[in-house]
Amino acid sequence: MLNTVRPLLLPLMFGLFTLPALAGDLEQPMKKMGFNYKQATKASDPATMEKHINQMRAEIDEAKTRQMPTAKKEKFLEGLTEVQSELDASLAALKAGDEAKAREHLAKVNDLKKEYHKYAKQKG
Ligand code: HEM
């Protein structure tokens, strides 16, 4: 009996330990998002702004696939989608040549970040 299951044990244990690591949590995409947000806000030309906003957008897509506390998952996804809408609005403003409006939408991203980080830190 043991001889039959033994070869299965190692791959099984390996799988159990590596699966959560592969799926990961929000820390990595959040760090990248924070970096690109800073780069976008301090950019002095629209092309650089656009590049970092597009990167943030992709990082949110990545964050949406990460592990989240079950009780908060729905609200987290809602917040991440709201951030993407603001980023889209910011990109649209840049395309229309309105950098000031693009920056207003970036400021709203910061408001959303504060709101949802507060929620993320709440117990339960
Ligand atoms: C609105 C939806 C958002 C949600 C639900 C959310 C959720 C979270 C959570 C749960 C963490 C803790 C991750 C961990 O350490 O395991 C975190 C950290 C962080 N988030 Fe967000 N976040 C959001 C928006 C944003 C935005 C818009 C930015 C940047 C502009 C941002 C930047 C960061 C940074 C820099 C960290 C710290 C990462 C670290 O160094 O540990 N987040 N966020």
Side-chain angles (χ1 to χ4, degrees):
M1 177 62 188
L2 193 63
N3 278 342
T4 340
V5 292
R6 207 195 310 259
L8 299 173
L9 284 179
L10 208 62
L12 186 70
M13 279 164 62
F14 185 71
L16 284 179
F17 287 122
T18 50
L19 263 183
L22 279 178
D25 60 16
L26 286 169
E27 192 181 333
Q28 283 310 314
M30 283 293 154
K31 276 188 176 152
K32 292 186 188 162
M33 230 200 311
F35 171 77
N36 280 301
Y37 183 78
K38 220 173 259 164
Q39 298 299 311
T41 50
K42 74 176 194 194
S44 49
D45 64 289
T48 310
M49 262 176 100
E50 187 179 339
K51 181 179 111 187
H52 292 291
I53 294 173
N54 277 324
Q55 275 169 9
M56 282 183 77
R57 243 196 144 284
E59 278 138 19
I60 296 183
D61 277 335
E62 172 62 36
K64 282 176 167 176
T65 69
R66 296 298 177 109
Q67 286 188 338
M68 302 175 206
T70 318
K72 294 187 173 178
K73 186 171 175 169
E74 203 179 325
K75 191 104 199 265
F76 278 13
L77 291 175
E78 175 194 295
L80 292 170
T81 302
E82 278 181 61
V83 173
Q84 275 180 325
S85 302
E86 290 300 340
L87 294 177
D88 286 346
S90 189
L91 286 172
L94 280 181
K95 278 217 171 69
D98 193 344
E99 199 178 313
K101 196 167 163 197
R103 289 186 186 278
E104 277 172 29
H105 288 292
L106 276 186
K108 282 189 192 151
V109 167
N110 202 30
D111 293 342
L112 287 168
K113 170 186 155 179
K114 282 186 201 147
E115 178 189 341
Y116 281 89
H117 280 182
K118 211 189 280 170
Y119 173 76
K121 282 195 197 112
Q122 277 168 21
K123 286 208 180 89

